[in-house]
């Protein structure tokens, strides 16, 4: 059994090589940027009014001032501002030369002769100076950042509408278990619906990759070997669920070995999710995840997703926040790092959701994160802070 960080580091030695692909900007949220993006001009590109009002010289205030023109956003000013002069200006318009402030239109009275008078005591500049955010040629976004809507705005502002991102990986999902039937089928007797494949597909998609659900295979050594061999064709990474533990019918690690894979680990010191393996052979990579739905979920979030991030060259992002636990939490065994499903209660606090163990998928209904309780710690007192990973 190895620690989670060690397991991830070991798997990370054998990444899937993603390479990059060029996509239309609108198709890239959630993807990992594979090029640096630079500012193609100063931002803002010209001194810009942040208010509707009058561009003028501070030393001429309170006026009265002659109004020279109206400058709309997108128009070039015609006149410079000299003594006793001003120009009406709109938010986002270019501030004319000579002006050092924009007085707000709410602070202005217009006299009968058309000249304006500043009625407030003082004013801020209300001007964004040219290049105050970034200078032309400066780095806007570094390679490796995971793209958010805000990032897309930044890239569009630099005039790029096609960008390089890490290639989306084809991730196969093969569910093992003789009790399993497809979710759309009617279960008889002791049959169980295959929910993991849907859950994992959604997790893969959320991580910016392409899921390929490859059905169910019964708990028979030869069948599993055959289906793994088929599933490896045309996929970059294969996720198996079920049969990952040490029971008589937990065949997956054995099959992987038989197929010539090298197992880097087959147990990780985490709860839920201890039985989990990572295997590689030439350019093929597999994770053997638990059948238990909560375990499989947690294993994906804590191991597979970070692994995919390594493959894509993603820069590290902190996904944990420190939150107060509202009620005391106790556990009997503390040999593994524990991930407790929690929900936020507001005011920087969280509480455990009802959780009966790794088969209790319904616990995920209300969970908004997993609180990490370190190995060795049996009690978290009411009011103690815990690290919560958002899901
Ligand atoms: P296993 O890891 O194969 O020992 O399975 C552990 C538990 O998870 C058993 O109760 C299985 O019935 C259940 N299980 C296994 N695979 C799936 C699946 N694909 N979807 C939902 N439950 C599953
Ligand atoms: Mg099983």
């Amino acid at each position: 059994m190895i620690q989670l960080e060690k397991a991830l580091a070991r798997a990370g030695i054998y990444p899937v090589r993603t390479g990059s692909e060029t996509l239309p900007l609108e198709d890239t949220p959630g993807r990992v940027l594979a090029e640096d993006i630079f500012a193609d001009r100063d931002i803002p590109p010209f001194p810009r009014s942040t208010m509707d009002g009058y561009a003028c010289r501070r030393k001429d205030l309170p006026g009265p001032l002659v109004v020279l023109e109206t400058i709309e956003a997108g128009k070039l000013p015609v006149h410079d501002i000299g003594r006793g002069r001003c120009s009406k200006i709109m938010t986002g318009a270019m501030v004319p030369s000579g002006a050092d402030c924009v007085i707000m239109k709410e602070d202005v009275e217009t006299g009968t002769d058309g000249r304006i008078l500043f009625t407030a005591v003082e004013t801020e500049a209300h001007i964004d100076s040219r290049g105050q955010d970034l200078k032309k040629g400066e780095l806007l976004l570094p390679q490796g950042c995971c793209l958010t809507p805000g990032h897309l705005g930044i890239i569009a502002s630099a005039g790029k509408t096609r960008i390089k991102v890490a290639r989306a990986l084809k991730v196969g999902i093969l569910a093992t278990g003789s009790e399993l039937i497809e979710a759309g089928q009617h279960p008889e007797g002791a049959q169980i619906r295959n929910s993991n494949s849907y859950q994992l597909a959604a997790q893969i998609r959320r991580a910016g990759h392409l899921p390929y659900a490859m059905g169910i295979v019964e708990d028979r050594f030869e069948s599993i070997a055959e289906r793994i061999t088929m599933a490896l064709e045309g996929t970059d990474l294969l996720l198996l669920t079920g049969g990952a533990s040490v029971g008589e019918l937990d065949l997956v690690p054995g099959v992987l070995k038989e197929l010539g894979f090298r197992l880097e680990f087959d147990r990780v010191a985490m709860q839920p999710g201890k039985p989990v393996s990572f295997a590689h052979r030439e350019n093929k990579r597999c994770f053997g995840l638990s059948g238990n739905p909560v375990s499989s979920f947690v294993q994906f979030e804590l191991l597979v997703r970070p692994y995919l991030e390594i493959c894509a060259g993603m820069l590290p992002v902190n996904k944990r926040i420190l939150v107060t636990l509202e009620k005391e939490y106790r556990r009997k065994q503390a040999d593994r790092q524990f991930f407790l499903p929690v929900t936020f209660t507001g005011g920087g606090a969280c509480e455990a959701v009802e959780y009966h163990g790794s088969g209790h998928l319904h616990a995920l209904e209300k969970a908004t994160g997993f609180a990490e309780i370190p190995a060795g710690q049996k009690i978290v007192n009411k009011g103690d802070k815990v690290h919560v990973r958002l899901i």
Side-chain angles (χ1 to χ4, degrees):
M1 194 158 76
I2 65 171
Q3 301 302 314
L4 179 59
E5 289 80 55
K6 278 216 181 103
L8 180 58
R10 285 250 192 113
I13 297 171
Y14 306 93
V16 182
R17 295 275 163 231
T18 58
S20 64
E21 56 186 327
T22 301
L23 292 183
L25 184 57
E26 59 268 34
D27 294 341
T28 61
R31 302 292 294 275
V32 176
L33 188 61
E35 61 176 320
D36 290 332
I37 305 285
F38 298 96
D40 70 331
R41 56 180 188 159
D42 291 347
I43 303 174
F46 49 81
R48 185 173 62 188
S49 176
T50 65
M51 289 289 168
D52 285 351
Y54 295 84
C56 59
R57 306 181 337 163
R58 198 183 282 276
K59 63 182 171 204
D60 292 344
L61 294 177
L65 304 172
V66 173
V67 183
L68 297 171
E69 62 175 322
T70 298
I71 311 167
E72 295 169 10
K75 293 268 157 43
L76 286 175
V78 175
H79 301 285
D80 291 352
I81 304 299
R83 186 152 63 89
R85 305 274 187 266
C86 71
S87 286
K88 192 170 182 184
I89 192 163
M90 308 295 162
T91 302
M94 184 188 283
V95 176
S97 311
D100 58 10
C101 69
V102 171
I103 52 174
M104 289 162 56
K105 69 174 197 284
E106 291 84 350
D107 296 337
V108 162
E109 266 172 16
T110 308
T112 47
D113 59 357
R115 291 191 299 172
I116 60 139
L117 202 63
F118 181 55
T119 54
V121 180
E122 54 188 41
T123 180
E124 286 178 38
H126 299 133
I127 297 173
D128 287 338
S129 61
R130 175 175 177 161
Q132 82 170 35
D133 298 345
L134 281 168
K135 298 269 187 286
K136 179 178 175 174
E138 276 191 88
L139 185 64
L140 282 182
L141 287 176
Q143 177 170 346
C145 78
C146 181
L147 294 169
T148 64
H151 292 146
L152 264 65
I154 293 170
I155 296 169
S157 75
K160 283 191 75 91
T161 55
R162 292 179 68 78
I163 54 165
K164 259 202 222 169
V165 292
R167 183 173 64 89
L169 298 180
K170 292 178 183 166
V171 185
I173 307 163
L174 183 59
T176 75
S178 299
E179 75 280 28
L180 299 178
I181 54 159
E182 289 301 352
Q185 293 177 333
H186 185 74
E188 308 272 351
Q191 290 179 324
I192 296 287
R193 289 194 177 101
N194 170 19
S195 56
N196 285 351
S197 293
Y198 280 87
Q199 187 172 283
L200 283 168
Q203 289 178 290
I204 292 163
R205 213 176 278 285
R206 189 164 72 166
H209 296 279
L210 302 167
Y212 285 78
M214 304 186 126
I216 297 167
V217 57
E218 61 184 334
D219 291 316
R220 266 191 59 231
F221 199 94
E222 296 74 26
S223 310
I224 297 175
E226 193 181 308
R227 292 288 294 280
I228 289 180
T229 305
M230 279 166 60
L232 289 169
E233 290 293 319
T235 54
D236 298 299
L237 174 69
L238 179 61
L239 306 183
L240 299 139
T241 75
S245 192
V246 290
E248 219 168 285
L249 287 176
D250 290 324
L251 304 169
V252 168
V255 171
L256 286 169
K257 276 189 202 152
E258 180 70 20
L259 291 175
F261 278 84
R262 191 188 140 123
L263 261 64
E264 287 297 322
F265 53 82
D266 59 6
R267 248 159 283 181
V268 173
M270 62 196 268
Q271 188 188 1
K274 177 163 87 170
V276 55
S277 54
F278 175 77
H280 57 96
R281 185 189 76 190
E282 290 142 17
N283 63 346
K284 300 292 178 194
R285 311 283 182 259
C286 292
F287 280 95
L289 308 179
S290 294
N292 274 313
V294 181
S295 303
S296 151
F297 184 91
V298 169
Q299 288 162 343
F300 184 93
E301 292 302 316
L302 298 181
L303 206 50
V304 182
R305 188 167 181 171
Y307 172 78
L308 289 168
E309 293 172 357
I310 292 171
C311 296
M314 191 175 129
L315 298 167
V317 179
N318 180 24
K319 291 182 184 151
R320 302 188 317 173
I321 52 172
L322 202 55
V323 186
T324 305
L325 193 66
E326 265 191 2
K327 286 192 195 115
E328 181 191 78
Y329 177 79
R330 283 172 179 273
R331 58 175 176 155
K332 290 197 184 82
Q333 279 199 329
D335 57 331
R336 290 179 273 161
Q337 188 178 17
F338 187 58
F339 294 93
L340 176 69
V342 295
T343 184
F344 294 115
T345 55
C350 69
E351 67 181 10
V353 301
E354 192 178 332
Y355 178 55
H356 309 151
S358 56
H360 183 200
L361 180 57
H362 195 242
L364 296 185
E365 185 219 336
K366 293 211 170 58
T368 42
F370 282 89
E372 292 181 21
I373 300 167
Q377 186 176 346
K378 284 193 174 162
I379 303 171
V380 183
N381 292 310
K382 178 183 161 149
D384 279 358
K385 298 263 192 209
V386 283
H387 283 287
V388 174
R389 291 204 188 218
L390 302 175
I391 55 172

